[in-house]
Amino acid sequence: MSSAGSSDAVAQIAGHVLLTRALQPSDRDALVALHRTVFQSDVDARWHAWKYGVAHGFGSGVWSDEKLVAHCGGLARSLWLAGQQTAGLQIGDVMVEPQWRGILTRRGPFFHASQHFYSTQIGVRRPFQLGFGFPGERHLRLARAVGLLRDGGSILALHWDTAHADAPAAWAWRWIPLNPDDANFDAAVNDAWNTMKAQSTSLAIGQRDAAYMRWRFVERPDRKHHFFMLRRPWSRAAAGIAVLDLHTAQSAHWLDWVGDPELMALASRACRAEAARHGLHRLEMWASPEVSQRLAATNWTHQAETVRLGIVNTSTLDEATTAKLRWWLMGGDTDFL
């Protein structure tokens, strides 16, 4: 373990010395092991290279007796807030080794990992101006109590049955599989993103250009995602592109949409029909209120809060400003699906 640097922090709890510091590439195996323990996952070195390599991911860890016992990480995300580009950091992989979970106070590993990460990465004269993540209700309550996060609102899980799903009329629309290996993939995504960005100037939305979509959905080593293009029969331009996970037992997950926000209801019909073609009985989506409002007339069968949106307190935008942001968020914006 490296010696303490200028941004490292040392604390003592119940006779244990805790060292908090930024994670390094050499900490890969420790991070993978903690992730496997906490989330019962099967992540590996390929996942670590995808997520934390090439300047995508960053993290702070808490070490006890040379063992990583807590971690708070994040992914660089270019955000557009009411048409203005902002350097965002999407928080994820917040985890505490099971034997330390009972210490959920300002003295505990959870606080030390998160506070170190937020204070070194997010805020004035820091690399990122706005931090956001997706804690559960209990996690958010704790983070608010110790001054780490503010509440940004609810993220809903929407469910549709796929029985009798009717695809958009073929004379008016085409629903076409889009292969990332196709020569037109990047151009189609970028055209759809440019349309979406131009029509989302009142929203808080993450960049969805081809480079981001490739990294997020194509290059991830442990998942396979499917892309579908919605377009008019008389045009080769993409009106929108949907990203689906079709590899679960009962439900398809609609992870992302790039394109005209007003076409969401139409796209939901196509996604339900696609799920039915794959023998899946349900279509699911995670959605912020701005997204769910576009789908209000689509007759979903169930909705429930799944997580909250947490805004990091060290963000340069004050609470009054962030409370007014109209977030466009889907499952692909989170760290879970």
Side-chain angles (χ1 to χ4, degrees):
M1 185 165 58
S2 63
S3 59
S6 60
S7 64
D8 297 350
V10 178
Q12 190 166 21
I13 301 176
H16 294 271
V17 175
L18 301 184
L19 171 65
T20 305
R21 62 171 174 83
L23 261 69
Q24 306 299 322
S26 58
D27 298 318
R28 180 196 67 189
D29 292 348
L31 179 60
V32 167
L34 183 62
H35 197 286
R36 284 172 167 257
T37 297
V38 171
F39 298 122
Q40 303 300 300
S41 71
D42 58 359
V43 300
D44 55 17
R46 295 180 308 142
W47 168 86
H48 184 274
W50 165 76
K51 193 167 189 179
Y52 288 94
V54 201
H56 281 297
F58 311 87
S60 291
V62 177
W63 302 78
S64 175
D65 299 325
E66 300 192 1
K67 179 182 180 183
L68 183 65
V69 298
H71 175 265
C72 180
L75 300 170
R77 188 80 192 275
S78 183
L79 302 175
W80 293 87
L81 308 181
Q84 298 298 311
Q85 193 168 18
T86 301
L89 190 62
Q90 177 187 321
I91 307 305
D93 294 334
V94 180
M95 45 193 175
V96 180
E97 210 277 338
Q99 73 180 67
W100 288 90
R101 288 178 187 164
I103 305 178
L104 299 177
T105 69
R106 286 185 181 273
R107 300 185 303 114
F110 162 78
F111 174 81
H112 286 298
S114 300
Q115 192 275 338
H116 183 276
F117 188 58
Y118 300 160
S119 64
T120 57
Q121 296 294 332
I122 304 166
V124 178
R125 294 186 296 277
R126 301 299 183 194
F128 304 98
Q129 282 70 63
L130 177 60
F132 68 104
F134 302 90
E137 188 276 332
R138 178 175 175 270
H139 181 173
L140 178 61
R141 188 169 66 248
L142 165 65
R144 292 182 66 191
V146 298
L148 293 171
L149 298 178
R150 62 186 80 139
D151 191 352
S154 179
I155 303 295
L156 298 173
L158 309 178
H159 299 167
W160 295 265
D161 289 333
T162 62
H164 312 299
D166 58 331
W171 62 266
W173 293 98
R174 294 285 189 269
W175 177 253
I176 303 169
L178 187 61
N179 190 327
D181 294 331
D182 291 346
N184 69 327
F185 179 85
D186 286 9
V189 174
N190 284 332
D191 286 346
W193 165 240
N194 288 332
T195 297
M196 187 176 204
K197 184 170 66 171
Q199 298 180 4
S200 304
T201 55
S202 64
L203 302 177
I205 186 170
Q207 180 118 341
R208 284 164 160 77
D209 62 358
Y212 169 77
M213 298 296 283
R214 278 192 176 279
W215 172 78
R216 175 65 180 86
F217 296 112
V218 180
E219 296 172 9
R220 179 165 179 166
D222 57 337
R223 303 284 175 87
K224 181 175 176 57
H225 302 106
H226 296 263
F227 300 82
F228 297 90
M229 177 171 61
L230 186 68
R231 68 168 176 83
R232 291 290 192 177
W234 53 85
S235 172
R236 291 198 170 275
I241 294 170
V243 185
L244 295 175
D245 180 350
L246 298 168
H247 297 278
T248 53
Q250 297 292 327
S251 302
H253 288 270
W254 184 6
L255 296 176
D256 215 339
W257 170 255
V258 188
D260 186 347
E262 297 305 321
L263 291 176
M264 286 289 285
L266 181 70
S268 77
R269 292 170 52 192
C271 289
R272 278 176 276 168
E274 191 65 43
R277 278 194 290 272
H278 282 77
L280 300 171
H281 303 302
R282 193 164 68 172
L283 175 69
E284 301 183 8
M285 169 201 275
W286 286 17
S288 63
E290 284 296 326
V291 177
S292 65
Q293 287 170 16
R294 301 305 204 289
L295 298 163
T298 59
N299 299 317
W300 57 62
T301 56
H302 178 72
Q303 74 165 23
E305 180 176 293
T306 182
V307 291
R308 305 289 294 179
L309 173 63
I311 307 297
V312 176
N313 267 337
T314 58
S315 299
T316 56
L317 300 182
D318 61 28
E319 187 165 5
T321 302
T322 55
K324 296 176 183 177
L325 292 176
R326 299 170 56 196
W327 286 92
W328 179 279
L329 297 165
M330 295 178 62
D333 289 298
T334 74
D335 197 45
F336 300 102
L337 302 176

